[in-house]
Amino acid sequence: MKKVYLFCSQGMSTSMLASNMQGVADKHNLPMKVAAFPYGEIGEIIRTDRPDCILLGPQVKFMYEEIVNQYGSEGIPIAVIDQGDYGMMNGEKVLKTAIKLIKSNK
């Protein structure tokens, strides 16, 4: 089971996208867990639940470098969700991005 975790300021708008992505994964029988969290919990979640991919909501992209500096050595791919895909809540496209990140990380 691959874990794709989305982080944003509150975890609210990304939870809609996460649920959309989970629906796409389920429809294609992909063994994936997609969930959303407030970015303040990122350190604890990496320690306790170790995601396979971390996606940041566009509203926290200013945190990207800090997060990469802090957790990049963990070997977990980290990316910012495309603003357009986020705005359209395009779960399929964002899920494909996550899968590519996980595959290229091996």
Side-chain angles (χ1 to χ4, degrees):
M1 167 92 54
K2 295 289 181 202
K3 294 181 274 197
V4 177
Y5 290 171
L6 285 62
F7 292 89
C8 73
S9 42
Q10 299 298 318
M12 291 314 232
S13 48
T14 43
S15 65
M16 291 182 344
L17 181 59
S19 142
N20 190 326
M21 291 167 69
Q22 186 67 63
V24 173
D26 294 346
K27 192 173 90 180
H28 295 287
N29 295 314
L30 300 171
M32 299 188 89
K33 175 185 174 191
V34 185
F37 305 93
Y39 73 84
E41 296 175 18
I42 197 165
E44 186 181 338
I45 286 169
I46 287 173
R47 276 192 306 280
T48 59
D49 201 12
R50 188 122 185 110
D52 296 284
C53 180
I54 291 171
L55 297 176
L56 303 176
Q59 67 277 59
V60 294
K61 72 175 175 197
F62 65 92
M63 300 283 299
Y64 176 77
E65 275 189 29
E66 183 183 324
I67 290 169
V68 167
N69 289 341
Q70 220 170 341
Y71 305 108
S73 61
E74 296 281 342
I76 301 168
I78 301 167
V80 177
I81 299 166
D82 177 83
Q83 178 77 51
D85 295 339
Y86 189 87
M88 298 298 292
M89 289 284 144
N90 189 336
E92 188 158 359
K93 201 155 172 222
V94 178
L95 187 68
K96 282 179 182 167
T97 301
I99 291 168
K100 280 182 194 151
L101 283 166
I102 293 168
K103 284 183 174 168
S104 66
N105 193 45
K106 294 224 155 93

